[in-house]
Amino acid sequence: LFFPGRAAGASGGWDPSPRRAAPTPVPSGMAMGRLLAALLASPVFVALARPAAQDAAILKVQTFDWRPDLAALFATNLAAASTLPAERVAQSPSASGMLVTTRHVVEEASPKDDAIREVAKRAKWLSGQQQQPPPRKLDSDDSATFLEAVWDRPGYRNRRFDLQPTDGEHLCFAGFAHMLSNTDRCNGWVRQYPPVGDTVVFKNTGVGGYNPFTLKAVIADHINIWLEEGSSELHEDVSIKAAKIYTNQYDLEELKPAEGSDSWMEHECKIMGSMPFMYTCSDRINILVQKCGMSNAWVMQSDYLRNYPGPATAESPTNHDIIFYMCHELLDDEPNPYAAANTFAHELAHVIQGGFGYSFTAMTEGGATWLEGPLLNLSPRPMVYAWGFQDWNRILAAHIYADTRELNARKFYQIHGMFLAYLSQEALLGARAASALQNYQTFEDANVPFGRSAYDYYLRYVGSERPHEFDPLTIDVKGVGFAFADALLNYRVAMVSQCILEPALRPSAPEYQMPGSVQERPYWDCSSFPTYWSESGTAVERASTDIHYGGAAVSRLMLPLNPTVSIAADADPRVRTKVLAAGVVGGPAAEVRELAPGESATFEGTREVYVVQVNVDPSGEVLAPEDMPPLWKWTKYGCEDPCEGKAWWAGSRKGRGYRPDQRSGLRTPPIELPEAADNLELSFYAKWDMEGEDADSTILGPGCFKRGWDGVQVRAHFTDAEGKETVTVLTPDEGYGEGPNKESAIAVFAELNPNAADCALLEGYTGSSSGKWRLQHVPLQQFAGKTISLEWFFASDVSGAGEGFWLDRIVVMSGSDRIFSDGASNDLTPVTLVDSPTAGAVGSTDGVPVVAAMPPSYAADISLRKAKQSLAAPWSASWTPGSAGSDAAVRRSYLGWSYQAPDDDTKTARLHPDQEACVRHAAPFRGHLRSATLFSLVDKIGVSAVGLAIRAAAAPHGLVEGQTPHVSASSGVQDPGMHRFVLGTAKSPVFAEGEAFLLCVGVAEVRPLPADDPNSLPFLHLPLTNVSTAADPAASGATMLLFTPAATPGAEAGASPVQTTGPDPWAGHTFVLRVEFVEESVDFTPSTLAAAALGGGFLAKSGGD
């Protein structure tokens, strides 16, 4: 998680605590002993109690772990069991082992209001800002400098700060020594740390408060491991091991992500850039292991940028440093040092990003998710990780920037991470250019990129070299051929090409391929796409899917003969379609054709065909003037005496806060003021309820102290004879109000007017009028003889809101003469303003140019107002019936269950050596298994291969005659996240219609690594899916565990070589294994599967082999 919140001491900013779950109480030793004794005596499986209803933002994860050795462990040493969640232990009715289930809570740390989820990256925290000049600006007219700022942000920053790396420096701190000795950046001061074993007080940003932390270790000279008072030995062991893994102190080849990079840490900084040490005057990363009240980890940009643009000083607090907060609860729930090290990589990617400025959530999280996976030559984060979902296709069709449970189960991490992985291929953008894209950030609030304002610029260089001249662009809001549209469509085609089993039959063009490291490991469930089997008919009529902006829909035609695909003439042209036809062995090569509405294409031969559609609505992430409803309303709501009838109200809904990032004016028609006017004056009644006052010593603009965040100003618009408009901020007779120390400036006005020369330009109504209407008088004598329009200008920032601002009884007087009155005619006009930057504009603070901008009067849809809008493009297909026995005529079917889980309550399971998870199936017709795909989670320990065994449904569940287990590699420190077993007639038995069999998965090979905990069993981690028949031993879906008792202490000699947990060990769930089953046309006499003897399989292997 990445919190760009306000600096400490500011109000209304980001704080990870508001939705924090209450910490789970730990039972006393005596209470735990009684509980364990009761559980061990229980003859039946104890049902798990579901926690009470919790905040909607809470994710509950329950992990099942079958441990045959734990019964003896508990019986002989209850103290050893005290580290386990005893309330989650239950005894199986069919074995002497223990099923340990851990339910932990992971909190969704989100902004205070869903409507501001995207804009919250902007700099709202201003407290403590030093008035120190920023580093030198480079020549702003130099195109080469602009290119460097855009394409090599680390190099650009090095030049600005005069950072010159020296030999032997770590890449994450390259230039640190030169900065200290040859620049005045830190004025000779450098942060000092105590010896290992000493204690320092830090602020705990989880549960709050200032607590002592002990420095337990310094890893690789640059990583401090600090443990909060009360931390356990497990917290210390796992965090130190994680740091050693991240820096590869073990010198393992598995931890070297690329040639020339010896560790994850080195490669991260080589590609993304150095740590932002120029703001901390330190060359250490501080891991604070603390109690949080939730299972999570995060960094806070306001830690290391506390004095932005200046650095830390001797007076800076301890948290003004490069800090990564690691929660006790996360280490308790997942004490796997490899997983913790991967979290290090993700969170420290955010630190690097934050050192360059601000961007939008999908980009920052996508960049960190790309880093934690493919960029480090690790597995991509699986789609089945964390939040559950019911429908793969709904996630696929969701808005590309959606980041809520409602819209896409928060899968934006994975979707954008894989998009960057796709783009990082050298034939497309390459890793460094993809990193430049995700590092395109700025400290200039008005220029912060969103969506296409970053993507469109960089993606127009896909497949070509970096430009030689800086050429910013204006975003096309009319056509569908923009660069982001092309990339999104090709990305989905590349994703689909992974579904074609034989590599030679996939398209060869680089834009239709995923990176080689994941090419054989589809991260999407290919069996989840709507599939049309060729033998079931000869046509598809007007198939259609509602697709949100940037989302996609994929349909599969399975081996039709000479198929023709056509797009309906009435299809929405904003949905682009490409048809991928796989190649044919000995026949045509793979083809990809784009079809517009009314077009069709025919593909020769029996082809596997995918119809790929993407909503590329050019206005999908753009707000045109008509898309921005006026904030001001003429309403009875809030109109109490002295208000008469109705009033103008700048607000949202009754009892609700106004929307963030509003820029809306209410204007009078032109008012002609007499030249010989006497005592020209505007009067009106006003009532306001804005974001609360927050006066402090923060300096805005030309030395003005901050009073609040949001505000309303009275303005006058005058246009001279040459058409030049002048806008004047007016001040009421009694002013707009002041803070306790005469603070008067409003932060949002300082943001909109960064070059203000007078504090009066930054003043306005803010806070509250305490529910009272107040009569205001504003002098207008300076405009005598001119025609002006008066305006009440409302502006809000990214978070925090009241009900708004009310206005009534507007009158302009000249002495006793009434010049203007709004009266009952209600002739004021609401005007929504857009403050989008222009292409090529340069940030005044960091010198970073705007690479792509909206046309005039258009704005980015940063609040995702259009997230629920969708489009469709119906398509049809027809094909020739296949002859009997041909590929086009044989029946096919999917077996197994695709992933489904409630979004906030998911289940997982761990498998250990000498264990197999088995699910029962029945052949839908006579046939064989063409392929099987197992989905897993990537965290593991000690597993080097995963296997699939085909077993008899009847005890003793031996391997089907002639079968041996099928093995898929799980090399490195993470599992790939999916295992695809290509079987076919050469590797699969043929089953008679209705014949039952078991498909079992397990740990096929074990390979310990030096960082493994010697007390931890190797394990494979599986996501679980809902299945209603898991407990019915005679039904498809019946699930059980097979295991050998060899590792169980006290196992009796001569005991059965294989035991079973019996059905439904996972309480109505099974593992995610999808199988494609194909009809067998050759006559076949079924074997007597029930009588098959126990074959080799995984259960015959020792856990240590």
Side-chain angles (χ1 to χ4, degrees):
L1 291 176
F2 185 40
F3 290 98
R6 290 180 184 154
S11 65
W14 280 68
D15 182 347
S17 62
R19 296 184 180 180
R20 185 168 54 247
T24 303
V26 179
S28 67
M30 183 175 294
M32 181 167 282
R34 287 197 300 266
L35 180 59
L36 284 169
L39 288 169
L40 287 167
S42 175
V44 296
F45 182 90
V46 179
L48 292 169
R50 184 181 181 88
Q54 302 187 51
D55 186 288
I58 298 298
L59 165 65
K60 299 178 289 294
V61 182
Q62 185 177 19
T63 299
F64 296 90
D65 196 349
W66 183 258
R67 298 286 297 276
D69 59 311
L70 288 184
L73 172 64
F74 287 149
T76 59
N77 187 2
L78 282 175
S82 65
T83 60
L84 295 168
E87 68 275 23
R88 306 301 184 202
V89 179
Q91 188 171 14
S92 165
S94 57
S96 60
M98 302 299 294
L99 182 63
V100 179
T101 62
T102 305
R103 182 184 291 277
H104 53 275
V105 175
V106 178
E107 180 169 355
E108 171 187 356
S110 58
K112 291 179 291 182
D113 188 278
D114 285 344
I116 63 167
R117 56 189 174 274
E118 290 297 346
V119 296
K121 287 292 182 188
R122 299 189 180 180
K124 189 173 179 181
W125 48 272
L126 298 168
S127 296
Q129 177 174 320
Q130 293 184 345
Q131 292 310 297
Q132 176 173 335
R136 64 194 179 102
K137 287 185 66 174
L138 303 177
D139 187 352
S140 61
D141 296 325
D142 183 2
S143 179
T145 297
F146 289 157
L147 284 176
E148 184 181 42
V150 169
W151 290 93
D152 181 13
R153 188 65 181 276
Y156 171 76
R157 184 173 63 184
N158 286 350
R159 284 214 296 145
R160 292 189 76 218
F161 284 94
D162 192 21
L163 305 178
Q164 298 180 26
T166 57
D167 291 342
E169 277 189 308
H170 195 286
L171 287 176
C172 290
F173 296 94
F176 179 77
H178 184 271
M179 178 186 74
L180 293 181
S181 60
N182 295 280
T183 77
D184 60 358
R185 178 63 182 168
C186 295
N187 295 318
W189 178 81
V190 62
R191 185 176 290 281
Q192 300 295 319
Y193 300 96
V196 171
D198 280 12
T199 297
V200 172
V201 173
F202 286 93
K203 182 179 180 181
N204 178 316
T205 58
V207 297
Y210 289 86
N211 297 319
F213 285 74
T214 300
L215 181 61
K216 289 293 186 177
V218 179
I219 307 300
D221 298 326
H222 293 292
I223 298 183
N224 293 340
I225 305 295
W226 300 88
L227 268 70
E228 187 179 31
E229 191 174 63
S231 299
S232 70
E233 290 184 6
L234 180 145
H235 301 146
E236 180 177 352
D237 179 63
V238 175
S239 57
I240 291 176
K241 280 185 176 177
K244 289 182 176 180
I245 290 168
Y246 180 59
T247 58
N248 197 11
Q249 298 301 287
Y250 301 100
D251 195 28
L252 290 176
E253 291 300 317
E254 290 87 347
L255 298 177
K256 297 177 181 179
E259 185 177 352
S261 296
D262 291 332
S263 69
W264 296 354
M265 180 177 175
E266 179 184 352
H267 197 63
E268 181 167 8
C269 293
K270 178 184 292 186
I271 300 299
M272 295 186 72
S274 64
M275 297 290 162
F277 57 80
M278 64 292 304
Y279 299 110
T280 65
C281 300
S282 67
D283 64 346
R284 300 278 184 93
I285 296 165
N286 297 274
I287 312 299
L288 267 57
V289 183
Q290 63 179 27
K291 183 177 181 179
C292 300
M294 56 180 165
S295 183
N296 223 320
W298 61 82
V299 297
M300 299 185 72
Q301 199 174 16
S302 54
D303 281 339
Y304 50 92
L305 296 180
R306 187 183 185 91
N307 287 350
Y308 179 84
T313 67
E315 290 73 39
S316 296
T318 51
N319 288 66
H320 185 172
D321 209 340
I322 299 172
I323 292 179
F324 162 36
Y325 301 95
M326 174 68 86
C327 296
H328 287 171
E329 295 85 345
L330 181 62
L331 297 176
D332 290 334
D333 294 338
E334 180 59 278
N336 181 346
Y338 301 108
N342 195 251
T343 302
F344 281 25
H346 183 103
E347 297 304 330
L348 292 173
H350 285 322
V351 171
I352 296 172
Q353 293 168 337
F356 295 126
Y358 314 100
S359 185
F360 58 106
T361 302
M363 185 67 83
T364 56
E365 292 295 355
T369 306
W370 167 51
L371 177 280
E372 75 174 36
L375 185 57
L376 294 183
N377 199 28
L378 297 171
S379 307
R381 181 182 294 195
M383 291 294 294
V384 295
Y385 171 80
W387 298 92
F389 56 90
Q390 297 293 319
D391 184 356
W392 287 82
N393 295 296
R394 182 172 176 270
I395 302 299
L396 185 62
H399 192 288
I400 189 65
Y401 306 128
D403 65 353
T404 66
R405 296 161 54 202
E406 175 193 9
L407 295 177
N408 74 342
R410 292 182 59 81
K411 299 304 176 185
F412 66 101
Y413 293 83
Q414 292 93 319
I415 291 170
H416 288 269
M418 283 306 294
F419 185 45
L420 286 169
Y422 162 76
L423 293 171
S424 69
Q425 298 176 91
E426 289 305 315
L428 301 181
L429 274 183
R432 292 191 179 276
S435 183
L437 166 60
Q438 62 90 40
N439 268 344
Y440 177 62
Q441 311 199 30
T442 179
F443 290 108
E444 193 77 16
D445 187 71
N447 296 349
V448 171
F450 178 81
R452 288 178 59 190
S453 60
Y455 279 128
D456 268 11
Y457 172 79
Y458 286 92
L459 297 183
R460 64 177 173 169
Y461 297 105
V462 166
S464 61
E465 62 179 10
R466 171 180 146 172
H468 299 290
E469 296 289 335
F470 178 63
D471 183 20
L473 61 88
T474 298
I475 291 171
D476 178 7
V477 296
K478 301 296 182 182
V480 297
F482 51 95
F484 188 40
D486 292 340
L488 283 178
L489 183 55
N490 292 339
Y491 166 50
R492 269 36 180 273
V493 175
M495 180 187 81
V496 165
S497 74
Q498 294 177 286
C499 299
I500 300 170
L501 291 182
E502 297 185 43
L505 304 185
R506 299 172 190 155
S508 59
E511 65 268 29
Y512 302 136
Q513 297 181 8
M514 294 297 281
S517 61
V518 299
Q519 186 63 257
E520 302 305 318
R521 309 276 190 179
Y523 82 102
W524 209 269
D525 183 354
C526 298
S527 69
S528 67
F529 303 136
T531 300
Y532 301 89
W533 307 105
S534 57
E535 44 75 31
S536 298
T538 58
V540 176
E541 296 293 340
R542 291 186 65 84
S544 180
T545 301
D546 292 332
I547 311 171
H548 303 271
Y549 170 71
V554 176
S555 296
R556 183 188 189 196
L557 300 175
M558 191 55 194
L559 296 178
L561 176 60
N562 300 326
T564 296
V565 178
S566 59
I567 309 300
D570 60 350
D572 196 305
R574 295 170 292 177
V575 174
R576 287 176 59 181
T577 303
K578 284 193 174 182
V579 181
L580 164 60
V584 178
V585 176
E591 301 174 68
V592 179
R593 301 187 198 176
E594 181 163 4
L595 300 179
E599 294 182 345
S600 63
T602 300
F603 301 92
E604 179 184 350
T606 301
R607 315 287 286 269
E608 185 175 355
V609 175
Y610 293 88
V611 179
V612 182
Q613 298 186 307
V614 177
N615 177 340
V616 295
D617 181 0
S619 65
E621 60 175 270
V622 175
L623 295 177
E626 60 269 20
D627 295 321
M628 295 179 271
L631 180 70
W632 293 90
K633 307 172 182 66
W634 180 243
T635 178
K636 294 180 180 179
Y637 178 62
C639 184
E640 311 94 3
D641 186 63
C643 175
E644 299 175 344
K646 291 184 177 182
W648 283 101
W649 173 41
S652 177
R653 285 186 290 170
K654 180 179 179 180
R656 296 286 298 273
Y658 46 77
R659 294 189 299 270
D661 249 11
Q662 293 295 300
R663 311 284 188 269
S664 188
L666 182 67
R667 294 185 187 178
T668 67
I671 303 171
E672 186 175 345
L673 302 178
E675 187 169 359
D678 178 31
N679 191 25
L680 277 172
E681 183 185 74
L682 162 70
S683 66
F684 58 91
Y685 279 90
K687 180 178 71 170
W688 58 95
D689 176 31
M690 312 291 287
E691 181 176 4
E693 287 194 35
D694 187 21
D696 59 25
S697 59
T698 298
I699 296 178
L700 305 174
C704 320
F705 292 109
K706 175 175 69 67
R707 178 183 169 216
W709 300 104
D710 302 344
V712 173
Q713 290 180 331
V714 185
R715 298 178 170 186
H717 291 254
F718 168 69
T719 303
D720 63 20
E722 297 178 354
K724 181 180 179 180
E725 183 182 37
T726 301
V727 180
T728 304
V729 177
L730 306 178
T731 302
D733 281 342
E734 297 182 0
Y736 287 109
E738 293 180 335
N741 295 307
K742 298 188 179 300
E743 301 93 344
S744 63
I746 308 302
V748 69
F749 294 138
E751 173 190 328
L752 295 174
N753 193 358
N755 299 316
D758 188 336
C759 291
L761 299 176
L762 307 183
E763 296 175 355
Y765 299 107
T766 194
S768 170
S769 64
S770 302
K772 298 179 180 179
W773 286 87
R774 298 183 179 180
L775 179 61
Q776 306 291 301
H777 297 278
V778 181
L780 298 177
Q781 194 64 39
Q782 61 180 308
F783 300 105
K786 297 180 180 179
T787 298
I788 64 171
S789 290
L790 296 170
E791 178 185 43
W792 287 259
F793 180 69
F794 180 105
S796 63
D797 64 7
V798 298
S799 66
E803 278 203 275
F805 189 92
W806 285 263
L807 178 66
D808 190 40
R809 297 174 64 177
I810 301 166
V811 176
V812 176
M813 300 288 293
S814 174
S816 60
D817 296 331
R818 179 172 294 196
I819 306 298
F820 172 83
S821 172
D822 65 333
S825 62
N826 184 23
D827 55 358
L828 277 69
T829 303
V831 178
T832 299
L833 306 179
V834 176
D835 59 340
S836 297
T838 58
V842 179
S844 60
T845 303
D846 55 20
V848 175
V850 173
V851 297
M854 296 291 171
S857 301
Y858 286 80
D861 183 15
I862 57 179
S863 295
L864 302 192
R865 298 181 192 176
K866 296 183 175 182
K868 295 186 178 181
Q869 296 180 8
S870 61
L871 303 173
W875 61 274
S876 301
S878 60
W879 56 91
T880 304
S883 58
S886 67
D887 284 342
V890 300
R891 289 180 289 177
R892 289 176 169 79
S893 179
Y894 289 130
L895 303 181
W897 286 263
S898 194
Y899 180 80
Q900 283 188 333
D903 59 4
D904 63 344
D905 193 356
T906 63
K907 307 289 191 295
T908 70
R910 292 191 178 100
L911 282 183
H912 301 287
D914 296 306
Q915 296 179 356
E916 289 183 25
C918 300
V919 62
R920 180 187 176 103
H921 291 287
F925 37 78
R926 186 174 63 194
H928 64 271
L929 311 178
R930 180 174 183 248
S931 66
T933 302
L934 171 71
F935 286 87
S936 64
L937 297 167
V938 299
D939 61 304
K940 68 171 185 179
I941 286 183
V943 175
S944 59
V946 173
L948 171 71
I950 306 172
R951 293 188 175 276
H957 309 300
L959 290 174
V960 171
E961 186 174 356
Q963 284 291 300
T964 57
H966 308 282
V967 176
S968 173
S970 178
S971 56
V973 299
Q974 287 188 339
D975 191 72
M978 67 82 63
H979 296 269
R980 183 161 61 185
F981 303 90
V982 180
L983 303 171
T985 54
K987 297 181 180 180
S988 168
V990 177
F991 298 98
E993 182 174 348
E995 192 167 19
F997 56 94
L998 299 182
L999 292 179
C1000 304
V1001 299
V1003 176
E1005 295 176 6
V1006 173
R1007 179 174 179 261
L1009 294 173
D1012 295 352
D1013 184 346
N1015 298 315
S1016 297
L1017 286 176
F1019 70 84
L1020 173 70
H1021 202 175
L1022 300 177
L1024 300 181
T1025 189
N1026 300 308
V1027 57
S1028 61
T1029 56
D1032 184 349
S1036 293
T1039 300
M1040 70 178 75
L1041 293 179
L1042 304 180
F1043 63 94
T1044 60
T1048 305
E1052 296 182 9
S1056 171
V1058 174
Q1059 293 188 14
T1060 175
T1061 59
D1064 201 21
W1066 298 325
H1069 294 77
T1070 192
F1071 54 101
V1072 184
L1073 180 71
R1074 289 285 273 172
V1075 176
E1076 186 177 328
F1077 193 87
V1078 180
E1079 184 178 25
E1080 178 62 51
S1081 59
V1082 180
D1083 289 339
F1084 168 70
T1085 302
S1087 61
T1088 53
L1089 297 181
L1094 178 66
F1098 318 121
L1099 300 182
K1101 295 191 174 185
S1102 162
D1105 287 347

